[in-house]
């Protein structure tokens, strides 16, 4: 094991496990919360997954700039924020894309995925069983397009098991994926797949403590978001301006404070209504997945049938040309009907059947068209119909929940909208049944027509006569009259035909209207709509029904408190990478904390933010619960400033377990010509002399100014420090569950340290 020369005379605090070169500089790194896996994002936006022994498992490139990354709490999926506002979820085993959500319109600069810390075993918990697997086989997958290789097909095909695990929330503890973008928007998704809320910090009015005044946020750029363990509050760190919410102040653009702020949002609806939201997300997310199955099925069927019918038309269009060339005043259908009735074969038809089409041509076209018909029936049977049936069942489950108003109306599950969507899912089932009947009939008539043509060609090639014996087949007559130049299958499938109504006889329509009084569909015009049109209306009804909970939850999220941390004379340009920040929650059994968790916010204070231009690290705790305790007459908000050791600057920091802070420090004398000098230090935060900080009327009074006089000077001799023989850069990746840290050197090296080794063990290993 490697040792530093400077450490040879005393105990080395942290064991260096690896010192490896890397091909590209890393800009984001996060340890898996459950396994010894490290996810890294390089400067060229590639995602690499390594084991603790530095074995690379996979590398993927989304093709877009990556701006953030986080793990699902169980470590089985990775959420990746992209520059275009997309959040993509990837499987931990292979890196395959599982799902993409376009929740933002600006770069996603931070992600936080938190699960409920309480087990659902209390008396008030709503026990929920997904009953669908009891009545239906496993949900159908998206059909594959013939001729498309696996890697080019739908995102679910190669990773079906992982995708189903992602979608099946029955086996997950309730969790929320929170994402913040560069423009101040914050989005919330249940299980990372079902959007349930969105807010923008610019639209909040911030109450001034002990005053009836409010302030607005301007030019806010989010740096970090962190949900509490009970999911009831969200801490947001952002840079921006505060302006008084008065007409005079707004007109004069009177800025109260430009700098770094902390914001607490009340998200208690997630904690209080987690059982109801769990059920809603379980049903709605599966319905959305099955909707995609129907969409893909319709697309695949439309393409296959259109291609087959086009091949048929291309083969038979030459008959029109021959009829014109022979100056015949008839249509292809009339010529075939004459042939069917035993009339003399015209020269045009004889030439077409014997020379142009031929026996091989008929067989080829028959195989294409009838094969497409059989394939469409398979898609309906294996994909479309099962998806429609399960959707109808799940919508029925949601309809039952929506009638439980005391529990579900508060989260926006509207009974009227859900009932309408349920009816639309029933209409979709009827449309699928009708389409199957039409498809089967058309395929049979095509098959009968081709068989007749094949017999005609064989007889014409064997007999010198140009006259055939009459062939009695009503199906051929029906085909020639109604299907030769018409395509009822395409009309039902093609999205371009949605505005063309389907003909329905008056007697059938009257029966549909009579069924309304016996509980039939209230919309009696559904038989005049195509299958594609019905799908569009069903999907629209789903979006409307699921938008109501989204809107309702969004309105329930509001500001609780705001904390100005330090001024920023010149705002950073590149987001959170410019200022090291970390938020964590630790167990706290004090009487002042009812939720058993206390929040710690750690950050580097820019040198120009304080009066003495010192090099400081700030730590604030108790922010999340301070507003509640202020109403009781006391404050739990405390802060402390740490002055960096002489000759060092903070490159990055991370809150560690047991209220520890890991600091990554760079030597101030480092030059490009030298390897560099750095160190890693652990500070026990709860042993520091925190100073109480009171809320004031004036939000422009920065809290770090209040504790500047009582700052604590850190010394490398007095702390747990490990020297690093390189110049280091952010990020610092620390795993609280594994007790390891990964440090990246400026010269493209990765160093992995074990943070929790006994000194005797370290000595034995070093020896």
């Amino acid at each position: 094991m490697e040792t530093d020369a400077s450490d040879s005379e005393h105990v080395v605090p942290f064991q260096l496990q690896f010192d490896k070169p890397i091909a590209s500089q890393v800009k984001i790194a996060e340890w898996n919360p459950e396994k010894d896996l490290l996810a890294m994002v390089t400067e060229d936006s590639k995602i690499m997954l390594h084991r603790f022994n530095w074995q690379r498992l996979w590398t993927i490139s989304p093709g877009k700039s990556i701006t953030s990354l986080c793990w699902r709490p169980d470590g089985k999926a990775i959420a990746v924020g992209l520059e275009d506002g997309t959040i993509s979820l990837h499987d931990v085993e292979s890196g395959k894309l599982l799902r993409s959500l376009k929740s933002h319109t600006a770069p996603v600069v931070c992600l936080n995925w938190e699960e409920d810390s309480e087990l659902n075993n209390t008396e008030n918990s709503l026990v929920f069983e997904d009953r669908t697997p009891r009545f239906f086989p496993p949900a159908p997958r998206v059909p594959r397009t013939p001729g498309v290789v696996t890697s080019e097909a739908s995102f679910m095909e190669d990773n079906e098991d992982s995708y189903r695990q992602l979608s099946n929330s029955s086996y997950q503890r309730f969790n929320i994926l929170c994402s913040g973008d560069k423009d101040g928007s914050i989005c919330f998704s249940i299980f990372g797949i079902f959007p349930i809320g969105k807010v923008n910090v610019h639209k909040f009015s911030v109450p001034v403590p002990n005053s009836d005044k409010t302030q607005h946020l301007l030019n806010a750029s989010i740096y970090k978001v962190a949900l509490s363990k009970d999911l009831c509050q969200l801490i947001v760190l952002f840079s921006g301006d505060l302006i008084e919410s008065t007409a005079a102040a707004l007109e004069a653009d009177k800025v109260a404070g430009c700098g770094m702020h902390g914001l607490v949002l009340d998200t208690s609806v997630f904690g209080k209504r987690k059982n109801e939201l769990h059920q809603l997300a379980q049903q709605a997310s599966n319905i959305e997945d099955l909707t995609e199955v129907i969409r893909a099925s319709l697309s695949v069927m439309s393409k296959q049938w259109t291609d087959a019918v086009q091949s048929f038309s291309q083969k038979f269009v030459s008959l029109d040309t021959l009829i014109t060339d022979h100056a015949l005043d008839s249509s292809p259908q009339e010529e075939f009907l004459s042939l069917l009735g035993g009339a003399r074969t015209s020269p045009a038809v004889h030439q077409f059947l014997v020379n142009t089409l031929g026996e091989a041509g008929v067989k080829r076209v028959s195989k294409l068209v009838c094969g497409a018909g059989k394939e469409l029936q398979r898609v309906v049977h294996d994909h479309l119909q099962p998806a429609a049936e399960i959707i109808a069942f799940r919508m029925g489950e949601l309809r039952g929940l929506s009638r439980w108003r005391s529990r579900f109306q508060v989260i926006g599950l509207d009974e009227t909208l859900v009932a309408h969507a349920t009816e639309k899912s029933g209409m979709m089932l009827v449309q699928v049944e009708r389409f199957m009947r039409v498809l089967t009939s058309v395929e049979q008539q095509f098959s009968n027509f081709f068989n007749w043509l094949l017999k005609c060609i064989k007889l014409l090639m064997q007999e010198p006569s140009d006259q055939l014996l009459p062939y009695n087949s009503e199906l051929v007559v029906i085909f020639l009259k109604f299907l030769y130049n018409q395509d009822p299958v395409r009309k039902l499938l093609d999205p371009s035909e949605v505005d063309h109504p389907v003909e329905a006889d008056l007697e059938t329509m009257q029966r549909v209207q009579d069924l309304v009084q016996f509980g039939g569909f209230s919309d009696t015009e559904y038989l005049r709509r195509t299958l594609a049109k019905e799908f569009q209306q069903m999907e629209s009804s789903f979006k409307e029904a699921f938008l109501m909970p989204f809107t309702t939850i969004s309105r329930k999220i509001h500001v609780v408190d705001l904390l100005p941390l330090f001024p920023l004379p010149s705002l950073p340009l590149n987001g959170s990478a410019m200022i090291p920040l970390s938020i964590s929650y630790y167990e706290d059994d004090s009487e002042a904390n009812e939720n058993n968790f206390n929040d710690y916010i750690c950050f580097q204070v820019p040198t120009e933010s304080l009066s003495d231009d010192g090099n400081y690290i700030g730590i604030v705790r108790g922010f999340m619960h301070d507003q509640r305790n202020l109403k009781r007459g006391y404050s739990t908000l405390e802060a402390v400033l740490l002055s960096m050791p002489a000759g060092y600057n903070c490159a990055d920091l991370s809150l560690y377990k047991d209220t520890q802070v890991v600091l990554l420090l760079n030597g101030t004398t480092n030059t490009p010509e030298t390897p560099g000098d750095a160190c890693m230090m652990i500070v026990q935060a709860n042993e520091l002399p925190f100073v109480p900080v009171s809320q004031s009327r004036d939000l422009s009074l920065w809290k770090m100014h209040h504790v500047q006089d009582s700052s604590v000077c850190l010394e490398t001799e007095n702390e747990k420090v490990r020297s690093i023989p390189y110049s280091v850069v952010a990020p610092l990746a620390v795993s609280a569950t594994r007790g390891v840290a990964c440090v990246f050197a400026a010269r493209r090296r990765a160093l992995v340290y074990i943070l929790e080794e006994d000194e005797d063990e370290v000595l034995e290993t070093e020896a």
Side-chain angles (χ1 to χ4, degrees):
M1 186 61 60
E2 300 181 33
T3 60
D4 297 332
S6 60
D7 293 331
S8 60
E9 298 180 358
H10 59 82
V11 175
V12 180
F14 312 124
Q15 178 182 337
L16 176 62
Q17 189 73 8
F18 295 108
D19 181 355
K20 299 286 186 180
I22 52 179
S24 180
Q25 197 64 52
V26 173
K27 64 179 182 179
I28 304 172
E30 294 285 345
W31 286 98
N32 187 298
E34 296 292 333
K35 303 177 182 178
D36 58 341
L37 301 174
L38 178 65
M40 296 173 286
V41 178
T42 61
E43 291 289 351
D44 54 354
S45 286
K46 292 181 180 178
I47 307 174
M48 301 184 299
L49 187 68
H50 282 235
R51 290 193 182 277
F52 175 71
N53 61 7
W54 214 246
Q55 174 193 1
R56 184 181 299 185
L57 299 182
W58 47 258
T59 301
I60 59 173
S61 180
K64 299 174 184 177
S65 178
I66 299 174
T67 51
S68 55
L69 178 144
C70 79
W71 288 92
R72 196 170 78 173
D74 62 5
K76 295 181 179 180
I78 307 174
V80 179
L82 303 179
E83 190 175 32
D84 66 349
T86 300
I87 300 174
S88 59
L89 305 183
H90 296 263
D91 175 49
V92 66
E93 297 294 336
S94 62
K96 292 289 185 180
L97 178 66
L98 301 176
R99 173 71 73 92
S100 288
L101 294 175
K102 191 67 167 67
S103 303
H104 298 268
T105 57
V108 182
V109 295
C110 57
L111 292 165
N112 174 239
W113 208 333
E114 193 64 51
E115 70 179 1
D116 178 34
S117 60
E118 298 180 2
L119 293 176
N120 295 333
N121 56 3
T122 63
E123 294 181 0
N124 294 327
S125 293
L126 190 63
V127 179
F128 168 61
E129 175 198 4
D130 183 10
R131 302 191 303 167
T132 310
R134 294 169 53 183
F135 301 101
F136 295 92
R141 65 179 63 187
V142 171
R144 299 190 180 188
T145 304
V148 177
V149 297
T150 305
S151 60
E152 297 173 346
S154 173
F155 68 88
M156 290 194 295
E157 291 177 359
D158 286 343
N159 231 29
E160 187 70 20
D161 293 337
S162 298
Y163 179 80
R164 292 188 186 280
Q165 187 182 50
L166 177 72
S167 299
N168 189 357
S169 56
S170 296
Y171 303 102
Q172 297 183 48
R173 293 170 67 177
F174 184 72
N175 60 71
I176 298 286
L177 174 61
C178 179
S179 56
D181 67 29
K182 192 175 180 181
D183 290 345
S185 292
I186 303 172
C187 296
F188 304 88
S189 300
I190 302 177
F191 305 115
I193 59 176
F194 182 65
I196 196 58
K198 184 176 184 178
V199 296
N200 192 294
V201 296
H202 294 107
K203 297 181 180 179
F204 288 127
S205 294
V206 182
V208 178
N210 304 318
S211 172
D212 57 355
K213 295 182 179 180
T214 59
Q215 293 184 327
H216 280 286
L217 308 174
L218 295 176
N219 306 318
S221 180
I222 296 176
Y223 278 63
K224 208 108 181 157
V225 292
L227 273 169
S228 59
K229 298 296 183 181
D230 59 2
L231 308 180
C232 288
Q233 289 184 310
L234 175 75
I235 292 180
V236 183
L237 297 183
F238 67 97
S239 63
D241 303 329
L242 288 175
I243 186 169
E244 291 184 10
S245 302
T246 61
L250 292 172
E251 185 176 352
D253 197 24
K254 181 182 178 181
V255 175
C258 173
M260 183 64 66
H261 308 271
L263 193 68
V264 174
L265 301 183
D266 183 344
T267 59
S268 58
V269 64
F270 295 137
K272 294 177 180 178
R273 297 294 176 178
K274 58 189 174 186
N275 295 303
E276 292 84 353
L277 291 171
H278 188 139
Q279 295 180 69
L280 171 62
Q282 170 73 33
Q283 300 290 3
S285 61
N286 278 278
I287 288 171
E288 290 180 346
D289 297 339
L290 293 168
T291 301
E292 291 301 317
V293 173
I294 293 181
R295 185 198 314 281
S297 300
L298 294 177
S299 176
V300 168
M301 291 193 301
S302 179
K303 183 179 186 309
Q304 284 187 277
W305 185 255
T306 300
D307 291 345
V309 173
Q310 282 182 350
S311 299
F312 170 80
S313 300
Q314 289 171 359
K315 276 291 184 182
F316 281 76
V317 72
S318 57
L319 178 57
D320 294 88
T321 305
L322 290 173
I323 291 175
T324 303
D325 293 343
H326 286 82
L328 299 176
D329 186 17
S330 61
S331 66
Q333 295 97 310
E334 293 171 340
E335 291 292 332
F336 282 130
L337 287 172
S338 298
L339 184 62
L340 182 64
R344 185 180 298 274
T345 307
S346 67
V349 174
H350 191 282
Q351 182 179 346
F352 171 73
L353 293 178
V354 176
N355 301 329
T356 305
L357 185 61
E359 187 176 341
V362 172
K363 291 180 178 180
R364 191 179 303 112
V365 177
S366 176
K367 183 178 180 181
L368 284 173
V369 176
C370 296
K374 297 293 185 184
E375 179 63 21
L376 263 63
Q377 293 178 45
R378 186 195 65 81
V379 172
V380 172
H381 183 269
D382 294 346
H383 302 275
L384 179 59
Q385 189 165 11
E389 290 173 350
I390 297 176
I391 284 177
F393 180 83
R394 289 191 177 277
M395 283 306 308
E397 295 280 87
L398 276 180
R399 186 178 184 182
L401 294 177
S402 69
R403 292 180 175 179
W404 197 348
R405 296 186 182 92
S406 61
R407 282 190 176 270
F408 289 91
Q409 197 172 50
V410 70
I411 66 169
L413 196 61
D414 185 86
E415 183 179 354
T416 303
L417 294 177
V418 173
H420 176 65
T422 304
E423 182 175 273
K424 288 296 181 183
S425 65
M427 293 177 184
M428 186 68 189
L429 268 178
V430 175
Q431 292 279 14
V432 171
E433 292 287 348
R434 180 177 69 173
F435 174 78
M436 193 63 172
R437 292 197 300 269
V438 171
L439 175 63
T440 302
S441 174
V442 169
E443 189 269 331
Q444 289 177 349
Q445 293 183 55
F446 262 108
S447 177
N448 190 74
F449 174 69
F450 290 132
N451 290 335
W452 172 70
L453 277 186
L454 195 59
K455 291 180 181 179
C456 291
I457 293 173
K458 288 180 178 180
L459 289 174
L460 289 174
M461 296 180 68
Q462 292 173 0
E463 300 291 336
S465 173
D466 57 358
Q467 186 172 5
L468 299 176
L469 294 176
Y471 185 84
N472 186 13
S473 177
E474 293 182 0
L475 289 179
V476 176
V477 175
I478 293 174
F479 176 86
L480 292 173
K481 287 187 174 182
F482 301 105
L483 294 179
Y484 187 85
N485 279 337
Q486 300 180 49
D487 189 354
V489 174
R490 178 180 176 275
K491 186 173 184 179
L492 292 175
L493 285 177
D494 197 336
S496 63
E497 299 286 341
V498 294
D499 294 327
H500 296 82
V502 178
E503 293 183 6
D505 61 272
L506 295 177
E507 183 180 355
T508 301
M509 294 301 298
Q510 184 60 46
R511 290 178 180 177
V512 170
Q513 293 175 7
D514 293 341
L515 287 174
V516 174
Q517 58 183 330
F518 298 104
F521 299 136
S522 60
D523 181 359
T524 59
E525 293 295 315
Y526 65 93
L527 289 180
R528 299 187 187 275
R529 293 192 288 267
T530 66
L531 180 61
K533 180 68 173 180
E534 198 65 63
F535 172 71
Q536 289 182 3
Q537 291 197 3
M538 183 187 73
E539 186 180 27
S540 177
S541 69
F542 290 168
K543 290 180 178 178
E544 188 178 9
F546 299 150
L547 180 62
M548 185 59 71
F550 181 92
T551 305
T552 302
I553 298 299
S554 299
R555 290 173 179 170
K556 290 181 179 294
I557 299 173
H558 60 273
V559 173
V560 175
D561 200 3
L562 183 136
L563 179 69
L565 296 173
F566 52 83
L568 285 174
S570 56
L571 289 177
L573 297 178
N574 297 325
S576 57
M578 300 294 293
I579 300 179
L581 300 166
S582 184
I583 308 175
S584 191
Y585 299 89
Y586 300 110
E587 290 189 10
D588 182 5
D589 297 328
S590 63
E591 295 182 0
N593 192 345
E594 296 178 349
N595 296 327
N596 299 325
F597 286 98
N598 200 7
D599 56 282
Y600 278 70
I601 305 173
C602 189
F603 49 87
Q604 181 188 26
V605 182
T607 54
E608 67 272 16
S609 295
L610 298 179
S611 57
D612 61 357
D613 291 338
N615 187 7
Y616 294 103
I617 296 294
I619 305 177
V620 176
R621 70 181 181 187
F623 177 37
M624 186 176 66
H625 306 293
D626 191 54
Q627 189 69 22
R628 183 187 304 123
N629 292 320
L630 278 175
K631 296 178 181 178
R632 300 174 181 176
Y634 62 93
S635 173
T636 56
L637 183 63
E638 298 177 309
V640 66
L641 273 180
L642 306 180
S643 179
M644 292 297 94
Y648 287 95
N649 288 322
C650 180
D652 203 358
L653 54 83
S654 177
L655 284 161
Y656 188 44
K657 61 182 179 181
D658 300 326
T659 66
Q660 294 177 328
V661 183
V662 182
L663 302 177
L664 186 61
L665 307 178
N666 249 334
T668 56
T669 59
N670 291 345
T671 63
E673 292 77 20
T674 61
D677 173 40
C679 69
M680 184 166 55
M681 175 187 299
I682 285 188
V683 179
Q684 191 67 42
N686 60 358
E687 297 177 357
L688 296 171
F690 280 84
V691 177
V693 178
S694 62
Q695 292 281 26
S696 63
R697 289 177 176 271
D698 190 355
L699 290 181
S700 64
L701 295 180
W702 305 98
K703 303 309 174 187
M704 290 300 100
H705 287 166
H706 296 179
V707 296
Q708 187 174 358
D709 295 337
S710 56
S711 61
V712 177
C713 295
L714 298 179
E715 301 292 342
T716 56
E717 295 80 8
N718 301 330
E719 307 295 340
K720 197 173 181 180
V721 179
R722 170 70 189 242
S723 63
I724 301 173
Y726 302 106
S727 177
V728 294
V729 295
L732 168 65
V734 178
S735 171
T737 56
R738 299 294 170 180
V740 296
C742 185
V743 176
F744 297 94
R747 295 193 171 188
R748 293 186 178 180
R749 301 194 70 84
L751 298 87
V752 178
Y753 291 93
I754 298 178
L755 300 180
E756 298 183 2
E757 288 283 355
D758 292 335
E759 293 184 355
D760 293 339
E761 293 181 1
V762 173
L763 287 174
E764 292 175 4
T765 306
E766 296 288 351

